[in-house]
Amino acid sequence: MKRTTVKLPDTLDVRLRHEAEQRGVTIAEVTRSALEEYLGIGQRRRLRAAGSGRSGRSDVSERIEEILRSEIAPSH
C-alpha cells in the first residue's frame, strides 16, 4: 500500500476527522472509501443516476403504453 500526503483546508480536515470518529474507523479508511466511491472502484460503486427519474408511482411499467400514447399524442 502506498502512502500519500494531501493538503486539506481546515474545514475539510475537521469534517474528515469527525466522520472517522463517527464511523469508528481511521482517517485513512474514510479517505480510501471516499476515493473508491468517487473513482467507481470496488464494492462501494454506486450508480449516481439510479432513481433520478422516480415518479413516485409504482404502476409505471404496467401503464407504459398509456403513458407513451399520452406523451406522443398530438396537441390540439
Short mmCIF file of all heavy atoms in Angstrom, two decimals:
data_model
loop_
_atom_site.label_atom_id
_atom_site.label_comp_id
_atom_site.label_asym_id
_atom_site.label_seq_id
_atom_site.Cartn_x
_atom_site.Cartn_y
_atom_site.Cartn_z
N MET A 1 0.85 -1.17 0.00
CA MET A 1 0.00 0.00 0.00
C MET A 1 0.90 1.24 0.00
O MET A 1 1.90 1.28 0.70
CB MET A 1 -0.91 -0.01 1.23
CG MET A 1 -2.03 0.98 1.15
SD MET A 1 -3.25 0.86 2.47
CE MET A 1 -4.01 -0.71 2.14
N LYS A 2 0.52 2.23 -0.79
CA LYS A 2 1.30 3.47 -0.90
C LYS A 2 0.81 4.50 0.11
O LYS A 2 -0.36 4.54 0.46
CB LYS A 2 1.13 4.07 -2.30
CG LYS A 2 1.67 3.24 -3.40
CD LYS A 2 3.12 3.49 -3.57
CE LYS A 2 3.62 2.74 -4.79
NZ LYS A 2 4.98 3.03 -5.08
N ARG A 3 1.71 5.35 0.54
CA ARG A 3 1.36 6.46 1.42
C ARG A 3 1.32 7.73 0.57
O ARG A 3 2.20 7.97 -0.25
CB ARG A 3 2.40 6.62 2.52
CG ARG A 3 2.12 7.79 3.45
CD ARG A 3 3.21 7.92 4.50
NE ARG A 3 3.25 6.75 5.34
CZ ARG A 3 2.67 6.67 6.55
NH1 ARG A 3 2.03 7.70 7.04
NH2 ARG A 3 2.77 5.58 7.27
N THR A 4 0.28 8.53 0.75
CA THR A 4 0.12 9.77 0.00
C THR A 4 -0.20 10.89 0.97
O THR A 4 -0.98 10.71 1.90
CB THR A 4 -1.03 9.64 -1.02
OG1 THR A 4 -0.73 8.58 -1.92
CG2 THR A 4 -1.22 10.90 -1.82
N THR A 5 0.40 12.05 0.74
CA THR A 5 0.13 13.22 1.56
C THR A 5 -0.77 14.16 0.77
O THR A 5 -0.52 14.43 -0.39
CB THR A 5 1.44 13.94 1.93
OG1 THR A 5 2.27 13.00 2.62
CG2 THR A 5 1.17 15.14 2.81
N VAL A 6 -1.82 14.64 1.43
CA VAL A 6 -2.76 15.55 0.79
C VAL A 6 -2.95 16.75 1.69
O VAL A 6 -3.12 16.61 2.90
CB VAL A 6 -4.13 14.85 0.57
CG1 VAL A 6 -5.13 15.79 -0.06
CG2 VAL A 6 -3.96 13.59 -0.26
N LYS A 7 -2.91 17.94 1.11
CA LYS A 7 -3.18 19.15 1.88
C LYS A 7 -4.67 19.45 1.81
O LYS A 7 -5.25 19.50 0.73
CB LYS A 7 -2.38 20.33 1.33
CG LYS A 7 -0.89 20.19 1.55
CD LYS A 7 -0.16 21.42 1.09
CE LYS A 7 1.32 21.27 1.40
NZ LYS A 7 2.04 22.52 1.18
N LEU A 8 -5.27 19.65 2.98
CA LEU A 8 -6.71 19.91 3.07
C LEU A 8 -6.97 21.25 3.74
O LEU A 8 -6.26 21.61 4.68
CB LEU A 8 -7.40 18.82 3.91
CG LEU A 8 -7.28 17.38 3.44
CD1 LEU A 8 -7.89 16.45 4.48
CD2 LEU A 8 -7.94 17.21 2.10
N PRO A 9 -8.02 21.93 3.32
CA PRO A 9 -8.43 23.12 4.08
C PRO A 9 -8.86 22.69 5.48
O PRO A 9 -9.32 21.55 5.68
CB PRO A 9 -9.63 23.65 3.28
CG PRO A 9 -9.62 22.95 1.97
CD PRO A 9 -8.87 21.67 2.16
N ASP A 10 -8.73 23.58 6.43
CA ASP A 10 -9.07 23.25 7.83
C ASP A 10 -10.49 22.72 7.97
O ASP A 10 -10.72 21.76 8.71
CB ASP A 10 -8.90 24.48 8.72
CG ASP A 10 -7.43 24.88 8.89
OD1 ASP A 10 -6.55 24.03 8.60
OD2 ASP A 10 -7.19 26.01 9.29
N THR A 11 -11.44 23.31 7.25
CA THR A 11 -12.84 22.87 7.39
C THR A 11 -13.03 21.43 6.91
O THR A 11 -13.77 20.66 7.53
CB THR A 11 -13.79 23.80 6.62
OG1 THR A 11 -13.36 23.88 5.26
CG2 THR A 11 -13.81 25.19 7.22
N LEU A 12 -12.34 21.06 5.82
CA LEU A 12 -12.45 19.69 5.32
C LEU A 12 -11.78 18.71 6.27
O LEU A 12 -12.28 17.61 6.50
CB LEU A 12 -11.85 19.60 3.92
CG LEU A 12 -11.99 18.27 3.19
CD1 LEU A 12 -13.44 17.81 3.13
CD2 LEU A 12 -11.39 18.37 1.80
N ASP A 13 -10.66 19.11 6.84
CA ASP A 13 -9.96 18.27 7.81
C ASP A 13 -10.85 17.99 9.03
O ASP A 13 -10.94 16.85 9.49
CB ASP A 13 -8.66 18.94 8.26
CG ASP A 13 -7.89 18.09 9.24
OD1 ASP A 13 -7.46 16.99 8.86
OD2 ASP A 13 -7.74 18.53 10.40
N VAL A 14 -11.54 19.01 9.51
CA VAL A 14 -12.43 18.84 10.66
C VAL A 14 -13.55 17.86 10.31
O VAL A 14 -13.87 16.96 11.09
CB VAL A 14 -13.01 20.20 11.11
CG1 VAL A 14 -14.15 20.02 12.10
CG2 VAL A 14 -11.92 21.06 11.71
N ARG A 15 -14.13 18.01 9.12
CA ARG A 15 -15.22 17.11 8.70
C ARG A 15 -14.73 15.68 8.53
O ARG A 15 -15.42 14.72 8.90
CB ARG A 15 -15.85 17.61 7.41
CG ARG A 15 -16.62 18.90 7.62
CD ARG A 15 -17.24 19.41 6.36
NE ARG A 15 -18.24 18.48 5.85
CZ ARG A 15 -18.87 18.61 4.70
NH1 ARG A 15 -18.60 19.63 3.92
NH2 ARG A 15 -19.77 17.73 4.33
N LEU A 16 -13.53 15.52 7.98
CA LEU A 16 -12.94 14.20 7.79
C LEU A 16 -12.70 13.51 9.13
O LEU A 16 -13.06 12.34 9.33
CB LEU A 16 -11.63 14.33 7.01
CG LEU A 16 -10.85 13.05 6.76
CD1 LEU A 16 -11.65 12.06 5.93
CD2 LEU A 16 -9.52 13.39 6.06
N ARG A 17 -12.13 14.22 10.07
CA ARG A 17 -11.86 13.66 11.39
C ARG A 17 -13.17 13.30 12.12
O ARG A 17 -13.27 12.26 12.77
CB ARG A 17 -11.03 14.63 12.23
CG ARG A 17 -9.61 14.76 11.74
CD ARG A 17 -8.81 15.84 12.46
NE ARG A 17 -7.51 16.01 11.84
CZ ARG A 17 -6.49 15.19 12.02
NH1 ARG A 17 -6.58 14.18 12.85
NH2 ARG A 17 -5.35 15.41 11.39
N HIS A 18 -14.15 14.15 11.98
CA HIS A 18 -15.45 13.89 12.61
C HIS A 18 -16.09 12.63 12.01
O HIS A 18 -16.61 11.78 12.74
CB HIS A 18 -16.37 15.10 12.42
CG HIS A 18 -17.74 14.89 12.98
ND1 HIS A 18 -18.00 14.92 14.33
CD2 HIS A 18 -18.92 14.64 12.37
CE1 HIS A 18 -19.29 14.70 14.52
NE2 HIS A 18 -19.87 14.53 13.35
N GLU A 19 -16.03 12.51 10.69
CA GLU A 19 -16.60 11.33 10.02
C GLU A 19 -15.91 10.05 10.47
O GLU A 19 -16.56 9.04 10.74
CB GLU A 19 -16.50 11.49 8.50
CG GLU A 19 -17.14 10.38 7.71
CD GLU A 19 -18.64 10.32 7.84
OE1 GLU A 19 -19.28 11.34 8.17
OE2 GLU A 19 -19.22 9.23 7.61
N ALA A 20 -14.59 10.09 10.56
CA ALA A 20 -13.84 8.91 11.01
C ALA A 20 -14.23 8.54 12.43
O ALA A 20 -14.44 7.36 12.75
CB ALA A 20 -12.34 9.19 10.91
N GLU A 21 -14.37 9.54 13.27
CA GLU A 21 -14.76 9.28 14.66
C GLU A 21 -16.17 8.70 14.73
O GLU A 21 -16.41 7.74 15.47
CB GLU A 21 -14.70 10.59 15.46
CG GLU A 21 -14.96 10.39 16.94
CD GLU A 21 -14.85 11.69 17.72
OE1 GLU A 21 -14.00 12.52 17.37
OE2 GLU A 21 -15.62 11.85 18.68
N GLN A 22 -17.09 9.24 13.95
CA GLN A 22 -18.47 8.75 13.95
C GLN A 22 -18.55 7.30 13.49
O GLN A 22 -19.31 6.51 14.01
CB GLN A 22 -19.35 9.62 13.04
CG GLN A 22 -19.60 11.00 13.56
CD GLN A 22 -20.38 10.97 14.87
OE1 GLN A 22 -21.43 10.36 14.95
NE2 GLN A 22 -19.85 11.62 15.87
N ARG A 23 -17.74 6.95 12.50
CA ARG A 23 -17.74 5.58 11.96
C ARG A 23 -16.91 4.62 12.81
O ARG A 23 -17.02 3.41 12.65
CB ARG A 23 -17.17 5.57 10.55
CG ARG A 23 -18.02 6.24 9.52
CD ARG A 23 -17.41 6.01 8.16
NE ARG A 23 -18.01 6.81 7.13
CZ ARG A 23 -17.72 6.72 5.85
NH1 ARG A 23 -16.82 5.83 5.45
NH2 ARG A 23 -18.31 7.49 4.98
N GLY A 24 -16.04 5.18 13.64
CA GLY A 24 -15.16 4.33 14.44
C GLY A 24 -14.05 3.71 13.62
O GLY A 24 -13.64 2.58 13.88
N VAL A 25 -13.58 4.45 12.61
CA VAL A 25 -12.50 3.97 11.75
C VAL A 25 -11.43 5.05 11.66
O VAL A 25 -11.59 6.14 12.18
CB VAL A 25 -13.02 3.61 10.33
CG1 VAL A 25 -14.03 2.48 10.39
CG2 VAL A 25 -13.61 4.82 9.63
N THR A 26 -10.35 4.72 10.96
CA THR A 26 -9.26 5.68 10.82
C THR A 26 -9.57 6.70 9.73
O THR A 26 -10.43 6.48 8.87
CB THR A 26 -7.95 4.97 10.45
OG1 THR A 26 -8.11 4.36 9.15
CG2 THR A 26 -7.57 3.91 11.48
N ILE A 27 -8.85 7.81 9.79
CA ILE A 27 -8.98 8.83 8.75
C ILE A 27 -8.59 8.23 7.41
O ILE A 27 -9.21 8.52 6.38
CB ILE A 27 -8.09 10.05 9.10
CG1 ILE A 27 -8.67 10.76 10.33
CG2 ILE A 27 -7.96 11.00 7.92
CD1 ILE A 27 -7.77 11.82 10.91
N ALA A 28 -7.58 7.38 7.39
CA ALA A 28 -7.14 6.74 6.15
C ALA A 28 -8.26 5.91 5.54
O ALA A 28 -8.46 5.91 4.32
CB ALA A 28 -5.91 5.88 6.42
N GLU A 29 -9.02 5.19 6.37
CA GLU A 29 -10.11 4.36 5.86
C GLU A 29 -11.22 5.22 5.25
O GLU A 29 -11.76 4.89 4.19
CB GLU A 29 -10.68 3.46 6.95
CG GLU A 29 -11.82 2.59 6.49
CD GLU A 29 -11.48 1.67 5.31
OE1 GLU A 29 -10.31 1.26 5.18
OE2 GLU A 29 -12.39 1.36 4.52
N VAL A 30 -11.57 6.31 5.89
CA VAL A 30 -12.59 7.21 5.34
C VAL A 30 -12.10 7.77 4.01
O VAL A 30 -12.86 7.84 3.03
CB VAL A 30 -12.93 8.34 6.32
CG1 VAL A 30 -13.86 9.36 5.67
CG2 VAL A 30 -13.55 7.79 7.59
N THR A 31 -10.83 8.15 3.96
CA THR A 31 -10.26 8.72 2.73
C THR A 31 -10.25 7.69 1.61
O THR A 31 -10.66 7.98 0.48
CB THR A 31 -8.83 9.23 3.00
OG1 THR A 31 -8.87 10.17 4.08
CG2 THR A 31 -8.25 9.89 1.78
N ARG A 32 -9.81 6.46 1.91
CA ARG A 32 -9.81 5.40 0.89
C ARG A 32 -11.22 5.13 0.39
O ARG A 32 -11.45 5.00 -0.81
CB ARG A 32 -9.19 4.11 1.45
CG ARG A 32 -7.69 4.10 1.45
CD ARG A 32 -7.15 2.71 1.74
NE ARG A 32 -7.49 2.25 3.08
CZ ARG A 32 -6.75 2.51 4.17
NH1 ARG A 32 -5.64 3.21 4.06
NH2 ARG A 32 -7.11 2.06 5.34
N SER A 33 -12.15 5.05 1.32
CA SER A 33 -13.54 4.78 0.96
C SER A 33 -14.10 5.87 0.05
O SER A 33 -14.76 5.59 -0.96
CB SER A 33 -14.38 4.68 2.24
OG SER A 33 -15.73 4.52 1.94
N ALA A 34 -13.82 7.12 0.38
CA ALA A 34 -14.31 8.25 -0.42
C ALA A 34 -13.69 8.22 -1.81
O ALA A 34 -14.37 8.46 -2.81
CB ALA A 34 -14.00 9.56 0.29
N LEU A 35 -12.41 7.92 -1.89
CA LEU A 35 -11.74 7.87 -3.20
C LEU A 35 -12.26 6.71 -4.04
O LEU A 35 -12.48 6.85 -5.24
CB LEU A 35 -10.22 7.76 -3.02
CG LEU A 35 -9.53 9.04 -2.58
CD1 LEU A 35 -8.08 8.76 -2.20
CD2 LEU A 35 -9.61 10.08 -3.68
N GLU A 36 -12.48 5.56 -3.41
CA GLU A 36 -13.03 4.41 -4.13
C GLU A 36 -14.42 4.73 -4.69
O GLU A 36 -14.73 4.42 -5.83
CB GLU A 36 -13.11 3.19 -3.22
CG GLU A 36 -11.77 2.56 -2.95
CD GLU A 36 -11.85 1.43 -1.93
OE1 GLU A 36 -12.92 1.27 -1.27
OE2 GLU A 36 -10.86 0.71 -1.78
N GLU A 37 -15.23 5.37 -3.88
CA GLU A 37 -16.57 5.75 -4.33
C GLU A 37 -16.50 6.76 -5.46
O GLU A 37 -17.17 6.62 -6.47
CB GLU A 37 -17.39 6.32 -3.17
CG GLU A 37 -18.80 6.64 -3.57
CD GLU A 37 -19.63 7.13 -2.40
OE1 GLU A 37 -19.40 6.69 -1.27
OE2 GLU A 37 -20.49 7.98 -2.65
N TYR A 38 -15.67 7.76 -5.31
CA TYR A 38 -15.54 8.82 -6.32
C TYR A 38 -15.04 8.25 -7.64
O TYR A 38 -15.51 8.62 -8.72
CB TYR A 38 -14.60 9.91 -5.82
CG TYR A 38 -14.43 11.03 -6.81
CD1 TYR A 38 -15.40 12.03 -6.92
CD2 TYR A 38 -13.32 11.09 -7.64
CE1 TYR A 38 -15.26 13.07 -7.82
CE2 TYR A 38 -13.17 12.13 -8.54
CZ TYR A 38 -14.14 13.11 -8.64
OH TYR A 38 -14.00 14.13 -9.54
N LEU A 39 -14.08 7.34 -7.57
CA LEU A 39 -13.48 6.76 -8.77
C LEU A 39 -14.24 5.55 -9.29
O LEU A 39 -13.89 5.01 -10.34
CB LEU A 39 -12.02 6.40 -8.50
CG LEU A 39 -11.11 7.58 -8.14
CD1 LEU A 39 -9.74 7.08 -7.71
CD2 LEU A 39 -11.00 8.54 -9.31
N GLY A 40 -15.26 5.11 -8.56
CA GLY A 40 -16.05 3.95 -9.00
C GLY A 40 -15.29 2.65 -8.92
O GLY A 40 -15.40 1.80 -9.79
N ILE A 41 -14.52 2.49 -7.87
CA ILE A 41 -13.69 1.30 -7.69
C ILE A 41 -14.24 0.45 -6.55
O ILE A 41 -14.68 0.97 -5.54
CB ILE A 41 -12.23 1.68 -7.37
CG1 ILE A 41 -11.65 2.48 -8.53
CG2 ILE A 41 -11.38 0.46 -7.07
CD1 ILE A 41 -10.31 3.10 -8.23
N GLY A 42 -14.16 -0.86 -6.71
CA GLY A 42 -14.50 -1.76 -5.61
C GLY A 42 -16.00 -1.93 -5.41
O GLY A 42 -16.81 -1.56 -6.23
N GLN A 43 -16.35 -2.49 -4.29
CA GLN A 43 -17.72 -2.84 -3.98
C GLN A 43 -18.58 -1.64 -3.61
O GLN A 43 -19.78 -1.74 -3.53
CB GLN A 43 -17.77 -3.85 -2.83
CG GLN A 43 -17.09 -5.15 -3.17
CD GLN A 43 -17.07 -6.08 -1.99
OE1 GLN A 43 -17.35 -5.70 -0.87
NE2 GLN A 43 -16.71 -7.32 -2.24
N ARG A 44 -17.99 -0.50 -3.39
CA ARG A 44 -18.74 0.68 -2.96
C ARG A 44 -19.32 1.46 -4.15
O ARG A 44 -19.92 2.49 -3.99
CB ARG A 44 -17.86 1.58 -2.13
CG ARG A 44 -17.50 0.98 -0.80
CD ARG A 44 -16.62 1.93 -0.03
NE ARG A 44 -16.40 1.48 1.31
CZ ARG A 44 -15.43 0.66 1.68
NH1 ARG A 44 -14.59 0.19 0.79
NH2 ARG A 44 -15.30 0.31 2.93
N ARG A 45 -19.10 0.97 -5.34
CA ARG A 45 -19.54 1.69 -6.54
C ARG A 45 -21.06 1.84 -6.54
O ARG A 45 -21.80 0.91 -6.28
CB ARG A 45 -19.11 0.93 -7.79
CG ARG A 45 -19.45 1.67 -9.04
CD ARG A 45 -18.91 0.96 -10.23
NE ARG A 45 -19.26 1.72 -11.40
CZ ARG A 45 -18.77 1.51 -12.58
NH1 ARG A 45 -17.92 0.55 -12.76
NH2 ARG A 45 -19.14 2.25 -13.60
N ARG A 46 -21.51 3.05 -6.84
CA ARG A 46 -22.94 3.34 -6.91
C ARG A 46 -23.27 3.93 -8.26
O ARG A 46 -22.46 4.61 -8.85
CB ARG A 46 -23.35 4.36 -5.85
CG ARG A 46 -23.34 3.83 -4.45
CD ARG A 46 -23.98 4.81 -3.54
NE ARG A 46 -23.13 5.99 -3.42
CZ ARG A 46 -23.50 7.09 -2.82
NH1 ARG A 46 -24.69 7.20 -2.30
NH2 ARG A 46 -22.69 8.12 -2.73
N LEU A 47 -24.48 3.69 -8.70
CA LEU A 47 -24.95 4.35 -9.90
C LEU A 47 -25.55 5.67 -9.47
O LEU A 47 -26.60 5.71 -8.84
CB LEU A 47 -25.98 3.48 -10.62
CG LEU A 47 -25.47 2.15 -11.13
CD1 LEU A 47 -26.61 1.34 -11.70
CD2 LEU A 47 -24.39 2.37 -12.18
N ARG A 48 -24.91 6.75 -9.78
CA ARG A 48 -25.37 8.06 -9.33
C ARG A 48 -26.73 8.44 -9.91
O ARG A 48 -27.47 9.19 -9.31
CB ARG A 48 -24.34 9.12 -9.65
CG ARG A 48 -23.05 8.92 -8.88
CD ARG A 48 -22.12 10.07 -9.10
NE ARG A 48 -20.84 9.83 -8.49
CZ ARG A 48 -20.56 10.09 -7.22
NH1 ARG A 48 -21.46 10.60 -6.44
NH2 ARG A 48 -19.37 9.83 -6.73
N ALA A 49 -27.04 7.93 -11.10
CA ALA A 49 -28.31 8.29 -11.73
C ALA A 49 -29.46 7.39 -11.28
O ALA A 49 -30.61 7.68 -11.58
CB ALA A 49 -28.17 8.22 -13.24
N ALA A 50 -29.16 6.33 -10.55
CA ALA A 50 -30.22 5.41 -10.13
C ALA A 50 -31.27 6.15 -9.32
O ALA A 50 -30.97 6.85 -8.37
CB ALA A 50 -29.63 4.27 -9.31
N GLY A 51 -32.50 6.02 -9.73
CA GLY A 51 -33.60 6.65 -9.01
C GLY A 51 -33.85 8.09 -9.37
O GLY A 51 -34.77 8.70 -8.86
N SER A 52 -33.05 8.65 -10.28
CA SER A 52 -33.22 10.07 -10.59
C SER A 52 -34.52 10.36 -11.32
O SER A 52 -34.99 11.48 -11.32
CB SER A 52 -32.03 10.59 -11.41
OG SER A 52 -31.98 9.93 -12.65
N GLY A 53 -35.10 9.35 -11.97
CA GLY A 53 -36.34 9.57 -12.69
C GLY A 53 -37.56 9.06 -11.96
O GLY A 53 -38.60 8.82 -12.56
N ARG A 54 -37.46 8.90 -10.66
CA ARG A 54 -38.59 8.39 -9.89
C ARG A 54 -39.80 9.28 -10.02
O ARG A 54 -39.73 10.48 -9.87
CB ARG A 54 -38.23 8.32 -8.41
CG ARG A 54 -37.45 7.11 -8.05
CD ARG A 54 -37.18 7.11 -6.55
NE ARG A 54 -35.95 6.42 -6.35
CZ ARG A 54 -35.90 5.18 -5.88
NH1 ARG A 54 -36.98 4.56 -5.55
NH2 ARG A 54 -34.74 4.58 -5.76
N SER A 55 -40.92 8.63 -10.28
CA SER A 55 -42.16 9.39 -10.41
C SER A 55 -42.99 9.32 -9.13
O SER A 55 -43.95 10.05 -8.99
CB SER A 55 -42.99 8.82 -11.56
OG SER A 55 -43.44 7.50 -11.24
N GLY A 56 -42.63 8.36 -8.27
CA GLY A 56 -43.42 8.18 -7.06
C GLY A 56 -44.58 7.22 -7.28
O GLY A 56 -45.37 6.96 -6.37
N ARG A 57 -44.69 6.70 -8.48
CA ARG A 57 -45.77 5.76 -8.82
C ARG A 57 -45.19 4.38 -8.97
O ARG A 57 -44.11 4.21 -9.52
CB ARG A 57 -46.46 6.19 -10.09
CG ARG A 57 -47.08 7.58 -9.93
CD ARG A 57 -48.06 7.90 -10.96
NE ARG A 57 -49.11 6.88 -10.99
CZ ARG A 57 -50.26 7.09 -11.56
NH1 ARG A 57 -50.52 8.26 -12.11
NH2 ARG A 57 -51.17 6.14 -11.61
N SER A 58 -45.93 3.38 -8.52
CA SER A 58 -45.44 2.01 -8.61
C SER A 58 -45.99 1.25 -9.81
O SER A 58 -45.61 0.12 -10.06
CB SER A 58 -45.80 1.24 -7.33
OG SER A 58 -47.21 1.20 -7.18
N ASP A 59 -46.88 1.87 -10.58
CA ASP A 59 -47.53 1.16 -11.68
C ASP A 59 -47.05 1.59 -13.07
O ASP A 59 -47.68 1.30 -14.07
CB ASP A 59 -49.04 1.35 -11.60
CG ASP A 59 -49.46 2.81 -11.75
OD1 ASP A 59 -48.59 3.69 -11.62
OD2 ASP A 59 -50.65 3.05 -12.00
N VAL A 60 -45.91 2.25 -13.15
CA VAL A 60 -45.44 2.79 -14.44
C VAL A 60 -45.24 1.67 -15.45
O VAL A 60 -45.64 1.80 -16.61
CB VAL A 60 -44.15 3.62 -14.25
CG1 VAL A 60 -43.56 4.01 -15.59
CG2 VAL A 60 -44.44 4.85 -13.42
N SER A 61 -44.62 0.58 -15.05
CA SER A 61 -44.37 -0.50 -16.01
C SER A 61 -45.67 -1.09 -16.52
O SER A 61 -45.74 -1.54 -17.67
CB SER A 61 -43.49 -1.59 -15.40
OG SER A 61 -44.15 -2.22 -14.33
N GLU A 62 -46.70 -1.10 -15.71
CA GLU A 62 -48.00 -1.63 -16.14
C GLU A 62 -48.73 -0.65 -17.04
O GLU A 62 -49.54 -1.04 -17.87
CB GLU A 62 -48.87 -1.93 -14.92
CG GLU A 62 -48.29 -3.01 -14.03
CD GLU A 62 -48.95 -3.06 -12.67
OE1 GLU A 62 -49.88 -2.28 -12.41
OE2 GLU A 62 -48.50 -3.88 -11.85
N ARG A 63 -48.43 0.64 -16.92
CA ARG A 63 -49.13 1.68 -17.67
C ARG A 63 -48.29 2.27 -18.80
O ARG A 63 -48.66 3.28 -19.38
CB ARG A 63 -49.50 2.83 -16.72
CG ARG A 63 -50.43 2.44 -15.61
CD ARG A 63 -50.75 3.63 -14.70
NE ARG A 63 -51.14 4.82 -15.43
CZ ARG A 63 -50.47 5.99 -15.36
NH1 ARG A 63 -49.42 6.13 -14.62
NH2 ARG A 63 -50.89 7.03 -16.07
N ILE A 64 -47.18 1.63 -19.16
CA ILE A 64 -46.25 2.24 -20.10
C ILE A 64 -46.89 2.60 -21.43
O ILE A 64 -46.64 3.66 -21.99
CB ILE A 64 -44.99 1.37 -20.30
CG1 ILE A 64 -43.91 2.13 -21.06
CG2 ILE A 64 -45.33 0.07 -21.00
CD1 ILE A 64 -43.38 3.33 -20.34
N GLU A 65 -47.75 1.72 -21.97
CA GLU A 65 -48.39 2.01 -23.25
C GLU A 65 -49.27 3.26 -23.14
O GLU A 65 -49.24 4.13 -24.00
CB GLU A 65 -49.23 0.81 -23.72
CG GLU A 65 -48.40 -0.42 -24.03
CD GLU A 65 -47.42 -0.21 -25.17
OE1 GLU A 65 -47.73 0.55 -26.11
OE2 GLU A 65 -46.32 -0.80 -25.11
N GLU A 66 -50.03 3.35 -22.08
CA GLU A 66 -50.90 4.52 -21.86
C GLU A 66 -50.06 5.80 -21.72
O GLU A 66 -50.39 6.84 -22.30
CB GLU A 66 -51.72 4.29 -20.59
CG GLU A 66 -52.54 5.48 -20.15
CD GLU A 66 -53.12 5.29 -18.75
OE1 GLU A 66 -53.20 4.16 -18.25
OE2 GLU A 66 -53.50 6.33 -18.17
N ILE A 67 -48.99 5.71 -20.98
CA ILE A 67 -48.12 6.87 -20.76
C ILE A 67 -47.50 7.32 -22.07
O ILE A 67 -47.50 8.51 -22.40
CB ILE A 67 -47.03 6.55 -19.71
CG1 ILE A 67 -47.67 6.33 -18.35
CG2 ILE A 67 -45.98 7.64 -19.67
CD1 ILE A 67 -46.74 5.73 -17.31
N LEU A 68 -47.00 6.36 -22.86
CA LEU A 68 -46.39 6.71 -24.14
C LEU A 68 -47.40 7.33 -25.09
O LEU A 68 -47.10 8.31 -25.77
CB LEU A 68 -45.74 5.48 -24.77
CG LEU A 68 -44.47 4.99 -24.09
CD1 LEU A 68 -44.00 3.68 -24.70
CD2 LEU A 68 -43.38 6.03 -24.15
N ARG A 69 -48.60 6.77 -25.14
CA ARG A 69 -49.65 7.34 -26.01
C ARG A 69 -49.94 8.78 -25.62
O ARG A 69 -50.08 9.64 -26.48
CB ARG A 69 -50.94 6.51 -25.92
CG ARG A 69 -50.98 5.34 -26.88
CD ARG A 69 -52.39 4.74 -26.98
NE ARG A 69 -52.93 4.32 -25.70
CZ ARG A 69 -52.70 3.14 -25.14
NH1 ARG A 69 -51.92 2.25 -25.72
NH2 ARG A 69 -53.23 2.84 -23.97
N SER A 70 -50.03 9.05 -24.33
CA SER A 70 -50.34 10.41 -23.89
C SER A 70 -49.20 11.38 -24.19
O SER A 70 -49.42 12.56 -24.45
CB SER A 70 -50.69 10.45 -22.40
OG SER A 70 -49.56 10.21 -21.63
N GLU A 71 -47.96 10.90 -24.17
CA GLU A 71 -46.80 11.75 -24.44
C GLU A 71 -46.63 12.01 -25.94
O GLU A 71 -46.16 13.06 -26.35
CB GLU A 71 -45.53 11.12 -23.88
CG GLU A 71 -45.47 11.07 -22.38
CD GLU A 71 -45.41 12.46 -21.75
OE1 GLU A 71 -44.70 13.32 -22.28
OE2 GLU A 71 -46.09 12.66 -20.74
N ILE A 72 -47.00 11.03 -26.75
CA ILE A 72 -46.82 11.12 -28.19
C ILE A 72 -48.03 11.75 -28.89
O ILE A 72 -47.90 12.30 -29.96
CB ILE A 72 -46.54 9.72 -28.78
CG1 ILE A 72 -45.22 9.19 -28.19
CG2 ILE A 72 -46.47 9.75 -30.29
CD1 ILE A 72 -44.92 7.75 -28.53
N ALA A 73 -49.18 11.71 -28.24
CA ALA A 73 -50.41 12.23 -28.84
C ALA A 73 -50.23 13.67 -29.27
O ALA A 73 -49.65 14.48 -28.54
CB ALA A 73 -51.56 12.11 -27.84
N PRO A 74 -50.75 14.03 -30.46
CA PRO A 74 -50.63 15.42 -30.92
C PRO A 74 -51.41 16.37 -30.04
O PRO A 74 -52.47 16.04 -29.53
CB PRO A 74 -51.21 15.38 -32.33
CG PRO A 74 -51.98 14.11 -32.44
CD PRO A 74 -51.46 13.19 -31.38
N SER A 75 -50.86 17.54 -29.85
CA SER A 75 -51.52 18.57 -29.04
C SER A 75 -52.59 19.26 -29.88
O SER A 75 -52.38 19.52 -31.06
CB SER A 75 -50.52 19.62 -28.55
OG SER A 75 -49.43 19.00 -27.94
N HIS A 76 -53.69 19.59 -29.28
CA HIS A 76 -54.76 20.31 -30.01
C HIS A 76 -54.86 21.73 -29.57
O HIS A 76 -54.66 22.16 -28.56
CB HIS A 76 -56.11 19.61 -29.79
CG HIS A 76 -56.16 18.29 -30.48
ND1 HIS A 76 -55.85 17.12 -29.83
CD2 HIS A 76 -56.44 17.94 -31.76
CE1 HIS A 76 -55.97 16.11 -30.68
NE2 HIS A 76 -56.33 16.59 -31.86
#
